[in-house]
């Protein structure tokens, strides 16, 4: 428990901050990397509650989870800096933009989520935990410009993530459950 490397944490945090430089956390004027560190915070909290085989993989993937989806960083960059396990985890956590390309926005988002969950489930438990932590972090009060329908869909996505991935972590599963139940929408 708690057996994670501060050096690896700092290296991944710096890499992520550099890669996401200039991007903001959605609906805020905070740097994007605040989001990545909140996801890592959820992982660290889980590590104090549960025994995990590869805590450093979870911590690094939490900090790097947006790098392939939203920055110029490519898979090989992550392999060379952090190794294949971390790179494969980050790749599974990234949407495949080609999935559902001909569908409407809602359908596309849903298909991309299903596709990513399918790939995450082929990864070690630590990667499942990062996806749980990501959605826990993202279940903030919805922005005022979101329609009721959009709020409902976001909640449905969170339910799907919970259904598929909660077995990876009792701690994070319960935490996501509480977040979903207090989120607006049916
Ligand atoms: Ni995220």
């Amino acid at each position: 428990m708690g057996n994670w490397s501060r050096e690896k944490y700092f290296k991944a945090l710096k890499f992520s901050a550099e890669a996401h430089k200039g991007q903001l956390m959605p609906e805020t004027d905070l740097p994007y990397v605040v989001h990545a560190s909140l996801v890592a915070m959820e992982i660290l909290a889980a590590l104090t509650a549960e025994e995990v085989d590869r805590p450093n993989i979870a911590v690094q993937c939490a900090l790097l989870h947006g790098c392939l989806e939203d920055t110029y960083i490519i898979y090989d960059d992550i392999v060379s800096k952090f190794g294949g396990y971390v790179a494969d985890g980050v790749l599974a956590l990234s949407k495949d933009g080609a999935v559902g390309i001909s569908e409407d926005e809602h359908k596309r988002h849903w298909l991309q989520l299903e596709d990513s969950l399918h790939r995450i489930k082929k990864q070690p438990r630590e990667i499942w935990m990062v996806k749980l932590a990501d959605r826990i972090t993202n279940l903030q009060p919805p922005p005022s410009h979101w329609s009721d329908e959009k709020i409902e869909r976001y909640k449905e996505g969170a339910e799907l993530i919970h259904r598929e991935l909660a077995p990876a972590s009792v701690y994070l599963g319960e935490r996501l459950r509480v977040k979903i139940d207090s989120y607006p929408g049916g």
Side-chain angles (χ1 to χ4, degrees), residues 11-184:
K11 181 181 167 189
L13 177 63
K14 271 197 297 188
F15 184 92
S16 181
E18 198 63 55
H20 288 283
K21 193 180 271 182
Q23 296 175 4
L24 298 180
M25 198 167 122
E27 316 298 338
T28 74
D29 54 7
L30 299 172
Y32 167 85
V33 76
V34 171
H35 166 67
S37 59
L38 288 171
V39 177
M41 179 185 76
E42 294 292 341
I43 292 295
L44 297 185
L47 293 180
T48 66
E50 296 174 350
E51 203 67 56
V52 171
D53 288 342
R54 288 152 290 214
N56 288 314
I57 300 290
V59 168
Q60 292 171 104
C61 285
L63 291 165
L64 299 170
H65 78 274
C67 283
L68 292 178
E69 196 173 295
D70 295 329
T71 81
Y72 56 88
I73 298 298
I74 61 170
Y75 176 84
D76 289 347
D77 298 331
I78 302 187
V79 173
S80 64
K81 284 257 183 188
F82 302 99
Y85 284 112
V86 172
D88 286 348
V90 175
L91 185 59
L93 290 160
S94 304
K95 275 184 218 149
D96 180 346
V99 169
I101 195 89
S102 59
E103 306 287 347
D104 66 47
E105 189 192 357
H106 163 54
K107 181 87 187 198
R108 186 168 68 245
H109 282 162
W110 190 263
L111 291 172
Q112 289 179 357
L113 176 60
E114 284 182 334
D115 170 69
S116 176
L117 289 175
H118 185 69
R119 290 181 286 114
I120 288 167
K121 290 183 80 173
K122 293 179 180 164
Q123 291 288 312
R125 170 190 171 211
E126 288 79 1
I127 308 307
W128 304 29
M129 292 174 70
V130 174
K131 186 66 186 177
L132 290 168
D134 188 35
R135 188 51 67 104
I136 289 165
T137 304
N138 284 336
L139 281 181
Q140 300 296 327
S144 55
H145 62 85
W146 279 24
S147 66
D148 289 350
E149 197 187 0
K150 181 158 174 136
I151 292 168
E152 196 56 50
R153 287 166 178 173
Y154 200 66
K155 189 167 187 165
E156 282 170 20
E159 288 284 9
L160 178 64
I161 290 167
H162 188 274
R163 201 157 56 237
E164 295 292 326
L165 304 182
S169 166
V170 172
Y171 179 88
L172 293 172
E174 284 176 358
R175 198 147 150 65
L176 181 56
R177 181 78 265 148
V178 169
K179 285 281 209 164
I180 293 171
D181 289 347
S182 62
Y183 196 73

